[in-house]
Amino acid sequence: MTFTKTSQKFGQWADSRANTVFGLGFSSEQQLTKFAEKFQEVKEAARLARDKSQEKIETSSNHSQASSVNGTDDEKASHTGPDTHLKSENDKLKIALTQSAANVKKWEIELQALRESNARLTSALQESTASVEQWKRQFSICRDENDRLRSKIDELEEQCSEINREKEKNTQLKRRIEELESELQEKETELKDLRKQSEIIPQLMSECEYVSEKLEAAERDNQNLEDKVLSLKTDVEESQYRQRHLKGELRSFLEVLDGKIDDLHDFRRGLSKLGTDN
């Protein structure tokens, strides 16, 4: 019989007389190699024992034929030595076979343990596969949720962009209103200067025409300002909830301005009467 390694952890041998193939699995390649070496040692020991037995038998047969004339006692004596040696060799072979059988039992136990371990590993692999499938489903759910959140974020960013554009537009309107308020303040300052100048009666007589031109220019500017204020009101209506307090201030300012203009008209009529009386 010849032991053959069929893989790193499995080996087999065939018994041609019994028409049977035996195989063993091992937990490691080192154990397989050790078994193969021991198998070869037993095989060599059996072959040597067989050869020695054959030589002893042949020697004994030749010796018996040569000394047959010496009587039956010499023949018995010549056969006693080889029989004892054969018995000793057979005993050694029986011991080797017993040890081999014990080793086979041990390896069968290890093989059963390996099969049980393989079954446990197979069960663990199946559980791991089920766990992987579950994680895949959870990952798919999380990915869908992530896509939905990204879409929501894009919508919110678009809304924020619209709000920023509206804020920028309102900022421009506020800036325009501040510019118009600054112009109105300048005109009011000019009106105050004119009022101060009107207190100087001697100078007013000589500068009456100049003041009239100033008043006409102020009226034209006032008309222009009123037109600008009307245009501004149209723009401000688009964001009423932000500009209501500004409308109130503009109305109050227009009322004050109208009152000042009326005062200037009265003052002008008074100057005209003074000129007529003089």
Side-chain angles (χ1 to χ4, degrees), residues 73-90:
D73 293 335
D74 294 337
E75 183 179 1
K76 289 179 180 179
S78 65
H79 284 286
T80 301
D83 290 340
T84 303
H85 184 74
L86 286 174
K87 186 176 181 180
S88 176
E89 294 294 335
N90 287 332

Side-chain angles (χ1 to χ4, degrees), residues 90-136:
N90 287 332
D91 291 338
K92 290 180 180 180
L93 287 174
K94 287 180 180 179
I95 294 171
L97 290 174
T98 302
Q99 292 178 353
S100 178
N103 291 331
V104 168
K105 289 291 184 181
K106 182 178 70 174
W107 291 329
E108 285 179 353
I109 294 171
E110 293 180 356
L111 177 61
Q112 184 63 27
L114 288 174
R115 287 176 178 174
E116 293 176 357
S117 177
N118 189 23
R120 289 194 298 271
L121 290 174
T122 302
S123 177
L125 178 61
Q126 292 175 353
E127 292 177 358
S128 176
T129 303
S131 178
V132 168
E133 292 296 331
Q134 182 179 1
W135 281 109
K136 284 182 179 180

Side-chain angles (χ1 to χ4, degrees), residues 188-205:
E188 185 177 359
T189 303
E190 290 181 1
L191 290 174
K192 288 181 180 180
D193 294 338
L194 290 173
R195 182 177 291 178
K196 289 180 181 179
Q197 292 176 3
S198 65
E199 294 176 356
I200 305 173
I201 297 175
Q203 294 180 0
L204 290 176
M205 296 298 297

Side-chain angles (χ1 to χ4, degrees), residues 5-262:
K5 295 181 181 179
T6 58
S7 67
Q8 291 183 352
K9 296 183 181 180
F10 192 84
Q12 64 183 18
W13 69 93
D15 187 353
S16 60
R17 290 174 298 179
N19 195 19
T20 305
V21 178
F22 301 93
L24 281 178
F26 300 87
S27 61
S28 65
E29 187 177 0
Q30 289 78 8
Q31 291 183 358
L32 175 61
T33 303
K34 186 176 180 181
F35 178 83
E37 293 174 353
K38 185 61 67 175
F39 189 95
Q40 187 65 25
E41 289 177 4
V42 173
K43 181 180 176 181
E44 290 294 331
R47 184 180 62 80
L48 291 174
R50 185 175 66 251
D51 293 341
K52 287 181 180 180
S53 298
Q54 187 67 26
E55 291 176 358
K56 293 291 184 181
I57 292 171
E58 292 177 354
T59 303
S60 176
S61 177
N62 294 330
H63 183 70
S64 295
Q65 291 176 0
S67 61
S68 60
V69 293
N70 294 327
T72 57
D73 293 335
D74 294 337
E75 183 179 1
K76 289 179 180 179
S78 65
H79 284 286
T80 301
D83 290 340
T84 303
H85 184 74
L86 286 174
K87 186 176 181 180
S88 176
E89 294 294 335
N90 287 332
D91 291 338
K92 290 180 180 180
L93 287 174
K94 287 180 180 179
I95 294 171
L97 290 174
T98 302
Q99 292 178 353
S100 178
N103 291 331
V104 168
K105 289 291 184 181
K106 182 178 70 174
W107 291 329
E108 285 179 353
I109 294 171
E110 293 180 356
L111 177 61
Q112 184 63 27
L114 288 174
R115 287 176 178 174
E116 293 176 357
S117 177
N118 189 23
R120 289 194 298 271
L121 290 174
T122 302
S123 177
L125 178 61
Q126 292 175 353
E127 292 177 358
S128 176
T129 303
S131 178
V132 168
E133 292 296 331
Q134 182 179 1
W135 281 109
K136 284 182 179 180
R137 289 193 296 271
Q138 292 181 358
F139 176 75
S140 179
I141 293 172
C142 292
R143 183 175 58 189
D144 295 338
E145 182 67 16
N146 189 20
D147 293 338
R148 188 181 66 81
L149 291 175
R150 284 186 177 180
S151 177
K152 187 66 176 177
I153 289 172
D154 292 337
E155 293 177 0
L156 292 175
E157 288 179 352
E158 183 64 24
Q159 293 178 1
C160 290
S161 299
E162 293 179 358
I163 292 172
N164 291 331
R165 289 194 294 270
E166 186 67 23
K167 286 182 178 180
E168 185 177 357
K169 186 176 181 181
N170 291 334
T171 302
Q172 292 176 356
L173 290 175
K174 285 182 179 179
R175 190 180 300 110
R176 182 60 180 167
I177 290 171
E178 290 175 356
E179 291 175 357
L180 292 174
E181 287 180 349
S182 177
E183 291 180 3
L184 290 173
Q185 289 177 357
E186 290 178 359
K187 296 302 179 184
E188 185 177 359
T189 303
E190 290 181 1
L191 290 174
K192 288 181 180 180
D193 294 338
L194 290 173
R195 182 177 291 178
K196 289 180 181 179
Q197 292 176 3
S198 65
E199 294 176 356
I200 305 173
I201 297 175
Q203 294 180 0
L204 290 176
M205 296 298 297
S206 60
E207 297 177 358
C208 182
E209 293 180 357
Y210 176 77
V211 171
S212 297
E213 293 176 357
K214 283 285 186 180
L215 288 173
E216 290 176 357
E219 289 177 354
R220 288 193 299 271
D221 294 336
N222 186 28
Q223 184 64 36
N224 292 331
L225 289 174
E226 289 179 353
D227 295 335
K228 290 181 180 180
V229 169
L230 291 175
S231 176
L232 180 61
K233 285 181 179 180
T234 303
D235 295 333
V236 170
E237 286 177 356
E238 295 178 359
S239 56
Q240 291 181 355
Y241 68 97
R242 295 178 181 272
Q243 307 299 334
R244 289 178 181 175
H245 62 286
L246 292 177
K247 285 185 178 181
E249 293 178 0
L250 287 173
R251 288 194 184 97
S252 62
F253 179 78
L254 289 173
E255 290 176 358
V256 173
L257 185 62
D258 290 335
K260 290 180 179 180
I261 291 172
D262 293 334

